[in-house]
Amino acid sequence: MDLKAQLKLAVEAAAAQLGAPDTDAAIQETPPSKAGDYGTPAAFLIAKALGGNPAQIAAQLTAAVQLPAGIQKVEAAGPFLNFFVNRGEFVRNVVENPAQIEARVGKVVIEHTSVNPNKELHVGHLRNVVLGDSMARIFRAAGHTVEVQNYIDDTGRQAAESIFAVNHYGLTWDGVQKYDRWLGEGYVRLNADPQKAALEPGIAEIMHKLEAGELREEVEKVVHAHLHTCFRLGARYDLLNWESDVVGSGFLTEAMNILKNSPYTSRPTEGKYVGAFVMDVSEFMPGLEEPNVVLIRTDGTAMYAAKDIGYQFWKFGLFEGMKFKPFTTDPEGHTVWTSAPDGQPDVERRFGHAQEVINVIDSRQDHPQTVVRSSLGVAGEHEKKERSIHLSYAFVTLEGQTISGRKGIAVSADDAMDEAEKRALAVLNEVNPTLAARDDAAEIARRIGIGAIRFAMLKAEPTRQIDFRWDQALALNGDTAPYVQYAAVRAASILRKGQEAGHDVSGTGADWDALLDVDLTLAKIVAKLPEVVAQSVRVHSPHVVAAYALDLATSFNAWFNAKDKAGKPVTNVLQSPEGLREARFALVARLRRAFEETLDLIGIEVPSAM
């Protein structure tokens, strides 16, 4: 348990002694202009519950609180309690006993990517992939069992148009060009064809064949190509669920059977909805002009929302139905499974059965996803409704230009990664030609380039639109991955130089009491990682971790460049006195691990050099 958590418990125990057993004592870092290291406004809560003067209650808390190890003293500052840490003991504890992320339980299903299998991924799709993959990493770090799903819409119009274009234009794949790119060229050509309207019967015929499963092998080629792109970006998957299998497994019927027992569903006998199966979501989506959602039309055909509801109900384990088999292996050798009519039943309840479901889908789907979420409330599954999460995100533009795959106005994800690595290598060559000539220069450039793309997609809150610009993403300064990676490499360089000079960098012989406030400030930032992970899980967004990575790099750079009043550097580790030197080496080593742990949560690797 970290020190802030221990302080919280200590304050709450003291509050209970004063007669306020249900106090939720928030522990905050004190502002630089205020005394102490941590503080709490808990006296306000106690005063509200019991009556009395907050300042007087703060004084009483000061006398009652039992200070945990590492806290030197506590003072009342008006209605606030300020805690002062024992500098050396605190830093040593951060180095030797890193705070553990509080383990959570329960399975979380995260669906992301879900790109139509008719063309290659473009740079705009990368935000979805990176958001979902980072959420999976963060939830796993928090202790959850995580299942990553990728939904394959193999019966949709987009796939039908691409396959039709191949036959109509007599296109032949050369086996060299990436398959999804080749197929997408046909899709763009068809949508630019002025005779397209006359080709509708042929497109409809392909759609029927897709629904019958006759062209699944063609779609699988695209899916393999998509996975190759996503694997390169660092994303990993557990299960591919195919639209045709979701439909063929009877999820729609199962879900409608559950919903028909709800008082919020009906089949009107008069009015505009006569004969349809309708769901009233007014209690769960207040303020709608039209609260009735048609799930099954009068003619018996299903609305798309009904299919989504069936799939969501299955994710939560409300019924079984699909069969599964291995599809491929990822770069780490883990099996990626797929739904399949010729697979095996899930007798071990391996897939689905989630306690929480996170769907990573762009903001255009805000309303449909809210309908899906509300349907769980309609079904009486109120806890599942609260744990049905739509991670909504805004669009990505590229250098100010709107992306359109249909019109062919896009940069493919593969080209974007190629360009990122190429530009990263060019920057290396410009900054350090010797480094660019190393045997591992390409790997260094890969980590910088891919890291730059991922960070650019994560650093802003998902609901904010992103304009991806190359120069900004690859800059060594500012809110970029290279800025954080460079700080991590600098930390490793300090350790390497220490080892080359024959010093022990593990903390043996450290004089912790010789550390200064500047060292304490850095250690406090390092100690925040478990708190950051908990916050990211709570708000369902990885931008919190990205912001922390920037804070970590900025704090380290401030520490590295710190000077005394005379302008003399105060944190040069190699020139520090014996004892202080060893303590600082150990702190830098812990910082280096913190960089790796933090960046791994958002799928970014640290280069060996920069």
Side-chain angles (χ1 to χ4, degrees):
M1 185 182 299
D2 64 30
L3 191 55
K4 288 177 69 175
Q6 294 177 50
L7 278 174
K8 176 177 168 63
L9 292 177
V11 173
E12 290 171 354
Q17 290 181 35
L18 299 183
D22 298 322
T23 304
D24 184 8
I27 304 297
Q28 306 158 344
E29 290 189 36
T30 56
S33 60
K34 302 294 183 180
D37 298 289
Y38 298 106
T40 180
F44 286 105
L45 297 177
I46 299 171
K48 185 176 180 180
L50 303 180
N53 184 294
Q56 292 177 345
I57 291 175
Q60 295 172 6
L61 279 175
T62 300
V65 68
Q66 297 295 312
L67 299 179
I71 297 297
Q72 192 171 44
K73 64 177 180 177
V74 58
E75 292 179 352
F80 298 94
L81 264 66
N82 290 337
F83 299 94
F84 297 77
V85 304
N86 181 307
R87 186 191 302 139
E89 188 174 345
F90 180 90
V91 178
R92 179 174 184 172
N93 188 58
V94 169
V95 170
E96 296 182 351
N97 303 294
Q100 299 297 309
I101 297 171
E102 183 178 352
R104 297 165 178 259
V105 296
K107 182 177 182 180
V108 178
V109 164
I110 300 176
E111 179 198 327
H112 70 82
T113 307
S114 305
V115 176
N116 287 321
N118 69 312
K119 59 184 183 302
E120 62 189 342
L121 277 72
H122 59 62
V123 69
H125 292 129
L126 296 182
R127 190 173 198 186
N128 184 305
V129 179
V130 172
L131 282 169
D133 180 66
S134 298
M135 276 281 85
R137 292 166 181 264
I138 291 165
F139 271 77
R140 284 196 185 99
H144 288 284
T145 299
V146 176
E147 177 178 307
V148 178
Q149 297 184 6
N150 184 353
Y151 192 81
I152 312 299
D153 185 2
D154 60 320
T155 64
R157 182 178 180 83
Q158 290 86 349
E161 288 186 354
S162 290
I163 295 173
F164 173 82
V166 169
N167 298 326
H168 179 69
Y169 298 117
L171 305 178
T172 302
W173 182 46
D174 61 8
V176 177
Q177 186 180 22
K178 200 159 176 284
Y179 189 83
D180 53 352
R181 172 170 294 189
W182 169 76
L183 194 67
E185 290 174 354
Y187 175 77
V188 172
R189 180 175 174 180
L190 177 66
N191 279 280
D193 193 329
Q195 303 300 317
K196 184 186 176 187
L199 304 176
E200 286 300 323
I203 297 172
E205 182 181 352
I206 295 295
M207 289 185 69
H208 291 316
K209 289 184 177 181
L210 285 170
E211 291 168 358
E214 297 175 15
L215 300 174
R216 182 148 175 163
E217 289 186 1
E218 293 301 312
V219 181
E220 286 183 349
K221 295 176 184 177
V222 188
V223 174
H224 279 292
H226 282 182
L227 289 178
H228 180 272
T229 299
C230 296
F231 287 161
R232 181 181 174 189
L233 190 65
R236 300 293 181 263
Y237 305 89
D238 299 300
L239 176 64
L240 311 177
N241 278 329
W242 293 62
E243 164 97 0
S244 57
D245 296 331
V246 170
V247 173
S249 297
F251 288 3
L252 175 64
T253 300
E254 293 279 4
M256 296 307 103
N257 285 339
I258 291 173
L259 290 173
K260 73 180 182 181
N261 296 318
S262 169
Y264 300 101
T265 60
S266 63
R267 286 189 179 274
T269 57
E270 58 184 19
K272 64 179 180 178
Y273 298 125
V274 61
F277 183 53
V278 179
M279 178 173 68
D280 179 0
V281 296
S282 56
E283 183 172 325
F284 309 99
M285 299 174 65
L288 290 178
E289 183 176 338
E290 177 49 77
N292 292 304
V293 177
V294 175
L295 299 178
I296 307 295
R297 300 181 185 92
T298 304
D299 63 4
T301 58
M303 300 292 287
Y304 206 89
K307 299 177 183 178
D308 285 346
I309 288 168
Y311 185 36
Q312 191 80 345
F313 280 16
W314 173 81
K315 289 177 182 176
F316 276 111
L318 296 184
F319 45 77
E320 304 292 336
M322 281 199 292
K323 297 178 180 180
F324 306 94
K325 68 179 184 181
F327 184 77
T328 188
T329 55
D330 67 22
E332 279 75 49
H334 300 132
T335 299
V336 180
W337 291 75
T338 181
S339 61
D342 59 343
Q344 297 298 316
D346 187 20
V347 294
E348 298 180 2
R349 295 162 59 94
R350 177 172 182 171
F351 301 115
H353 298 280
Q355 277 74 56
E356 180 166 307
V357 174
I358 302 172
N359 295 326
V360 185
I361 307 176
D362 71 63
S363 56
R364 292 174 301 180
Q365 296 298 313
D366 285 350
H367 179 75
Q369 280 293 301
T370 305
V371 170
V372 170
R373 183 174 188 264
S374 298
S375 71
L376 288 160
V378 169
E381 298 286 352
H382 299 290
E383 183 178 347
K384 290 180 174 59
K385 170 183 171 291
E386 296 305 313
R387 292 184 173 274
S388 180
I389 308 298
H390 175 206
L391 200 171
S392 175
Y393 64 94
F395 288 106
V396 177
T397 56
L398 179 64
E399 301 283 356
Q401 186 178 25
T402 301
I403 297 169
S404 173
R406 180 181 295 272
K407 297 179 181 178
I409 304 173
V411 172
S412 78
D414 292 303
D415 284 347
M417 288 186 278
D418 288 343
E419 183 69 13
E421 294 179 22
K422 176 183 175 182
R423 290 184 180 229
L425 192 59
V427 170
L428 285 178
N429 192 51
E430 180 181 341
V431 174
N432 190 342
T434 302
L435 184 62
R438 286 174 39 158
D439 292 339
D440 61 346
E443 173 62 15
I444 293 172
R446 184 192 69 80
R447 294 190 176 201
I448 295 172
I450 300 300
I453 289 176
R454 290 190 66 117
F455 200 87
M457 299 295 171
L458 293 175
K459 64 182 181 181
E461 292 187 46
T463 52
R464 289 179 54 191
Q465 183 172 313
I466 291 175
D467 182 26
F468 184 86
R469 294 183 178 270
W470 289 110
D471 292 343
Q472 293 176 5
L474 289 165
L476 292 177
N477 294 308
D479 52 350
T480 67
Y483 172 72
V484 181
Q485 290 170 317
Y486 185 75
V489 169
R490 172 179 275 178
S493 176
I494 292 173
L495 297 173
R496 184 178 64 254
K497 290 176 180 178
Q499 291 171 325
E500 290 172 351
H503 298 300
D504 189 311
V505 300
S506 66
T508 302
D511 182 359
W512 302 103
D513 292 332
L515 291 167
L516 305 178
D517 283 340
V518 67
D519 303 300
L520 172 62
T521 299
L522 181 59
K524 285 163 69 175
I525 295 294
V526 171
K528 288 179 67 174
L529 180 56
E531 178 184 342
V532 169
V533 170
Q535 182 185 0
S536 181
V537 167
R538 186 168 60 252
V539 303
H540 296 91
S541 176
H543 84 277
V544 177
V545 177
Y548 172 70
L550 289 172
D551 288 344
L552 203 60
T554 300
S555 298
F556 173 56
N557 289 335
W559 175 88
F560 184 85
N561 295 307
K563 294 178 174 58
D564 60 19
K565 293 181 180 179
K568 181 180 178 181
V570 296
T571 55
N572 188 310
V573 183
L574 283 168
Q575 294 181 11
S576 297
E578 185 176 356
L580 175 58
R581 178 183 60 214
E582 282 66 33
R584 283 180 168 160
F585 272 131
L587 175 58
V588 172
R590 177 68 191 96
L591 170 78
R592 166 68 182 191
R593 292 196 302 275
F595 273 125
E596 292 178 340
E597 293 164 0
T598 302
L599 289 175
D600 184 63
L601 291 172
I602 49 178
I604 295 174
E605 300 170 281
V606 178
S608 60
M610 284 182 74

